[in-house]
Amino acid sequence: MKKKITKAIFPVAGLGTRFLPATKSIPKEIMTLVDRPLIQYAIDEARAAGIKEFIFVTSRGKSALEDYFDHSPELESTLRRKDKTDLLELLKSTNMDSGAIAYLRQNRPLGLGHAVWCARRLIANEPFAVILPDDVIAAETPCLQQMVEAHAETGGNMVAAMEVPADKASAYGILDVQKAAQNIGDLVSVKGMVEKPAAKEAPSNLAVIGRYILTPDIMSNLNKIKSGKGGEIQLTDAIAQEIENSNNVYGYRFKGQRYDCGSKSGFLQATVAFGLSRPDLCDEFGDFLNDLMSMRAAAQ
Ligand code: G1P
């Protein structure tokens, strides 16, 4: 029987320099889309997919993240006293059970592959998920859950995949895929992967998006690989290695809208889209956006 995926790694050690000065004092993952921090979207998606153990790979200056997941007894008792049951429930839904979370420090910024490798002892010999909280995916069935369901059929290693414009390939891990006949439905069979290739060297325009289901062999590969693109230990290279070793790497074209919340424009797009999708905000916010667009059109 295939082992259930119950552990997920959240690499959150990055400095978030694209969001300076905000990230001078708050971790990027605490920045909010409407009223929930980025990391909450990642946690909710992991929970929906059946994840029970949450492993955060952090760095200096990220203590606000640890506090965020802790219980807040004072706040809770104040809300209880004031009979604010809705807010109390909302708050409780963000609490994590004792022992469900582990924090590890990546003490040098050596790349995504290195961050994942830092969690090797907690992963031990089990398959695991990796979620990059910068990639926020709005979907009817959360993306990782879609992947867990597909993975129950395939086993092996699976990465979320999405077509990107050719001139954007150099910002992603790019898949080299088998011919269409060998691909079934949303799954593609991967025969190569390259991290951030130059546009003319990209083997396709199918990009890796930040959701992975990986076998523990990836940790062994990470033990051995040398630094790659940008002088960093790349997760992409460790997965590519597994194609050679076992030929069991799949790309999964998820259903949903992905927002690149690692960029300012993507973050703003997500803010607008999530704002409009909220029943309590959509009317007022939608009217405001319409007025704004009309004024913009009139001024042009
Ligand atoms: C990382 C991965 C890359 C992947 C991307 C998805 O890059 O290294 O393969 O395509 O996430 O968001 P980063 O955006 O952290 O540079």
Side-chain angles (χ1 to χ4, degrees), residues 6 51 89 120 160 238 250 267 275 280 282 300:
T6 58
I51 298 298
E89 285 312 307
R120 65 201 176 282
Y250 304 90
F267 201 98
D280 56 333
C282 62
Q300 273 167 1

Side-chain angles (χ1 to χ4, degrees), residues 12 72 92-93 99 146 210 216 223 280:
V12 290
S72 33
K92 281 188 178 164
S93 72
Q146 295 176 36
N223 266 330
D280 56 333

Side-chain angles (χ1 to χ4, degrees), residues 112 132 135 172-173 195-196 208-210 212 234 236 258:
L112 177 60
L132 308 188
D135 283 328
Y172 296 93
E195 180 68 10
K196 304 195 172 91
V208 177
I209 299 303
Y212 307 75
Q234 296 294 350
T236 300
R258 174 256 184 177

Side-chain angles (χ1 to χ4, degrees), residues 77-95:
S77 69
T78 309
L79 293 174
R80 205 168 295 118
R81 221 175 29 247
K82 295 191 170 168
D83 249 355
K84 306 221 169 190
T85 28
D86 288 359
L87 285 179
L88 199 58
E89 285 312 307
L90 185 74
L91 207 60
K92 281 188 178 164
S93 72
T94 64
N95 290 345

Side-chain angles (χ1 to χ4, degrees), residues 243-260:
I243 303 171
E244 285 168 35
N245 294 353
S246 61
N247 197 24
N248 66 359
V249 178
Y250 304 90
Y252 180 80
R253 294 173 196 263
F254 58 93
K255 289 173 210 70
Q257 178 68 40
R258 174 256 184 177
Y259 298 95
D260 175 11

Side-chain angles (χ1 to χ4, degrees), residues 187-260:
L187 276 177
V188 294
S189 199
V190 176
K191 62 174 177 177
M193 269 173 94
V194 31
E195 180 68 10
K196 304 195 172 91
K200 28 181 209 326
E201 276 145 33
S204 76
N205 62 343
L206 202 54
V208 177
I209 299 303
R211 303 290 182 276
Y212 307 75
I213 297 178
L214 301 174
T215 60
D217 298 323
I218 295 297
M219 292 295 188
S220 320
N221 298 351
L222 285 168
N223 266 330
K224 288 173 238 145
I225 61 169
K226 302 209 165 59
S227 44
K229 191 85 189 179
E232 297 187 338
I233 307 282
Q234 296 294 350
L235 184 58
T236 300
D237 294 344
I239 303 171
Q241 175 78 61
E242 210 41 36
I243 303 171
E244 285 168 35
N245 294 353
S246 61
N247 197 24
N248 66 359
V249 178
Y250 304 90
Y252 180 80
R253 294 173 196 263
F254 58 93
K255 289 173 210 70
Q257 178 68 40
R258 174 256 184 177
Y259 298 95
D260 175 11

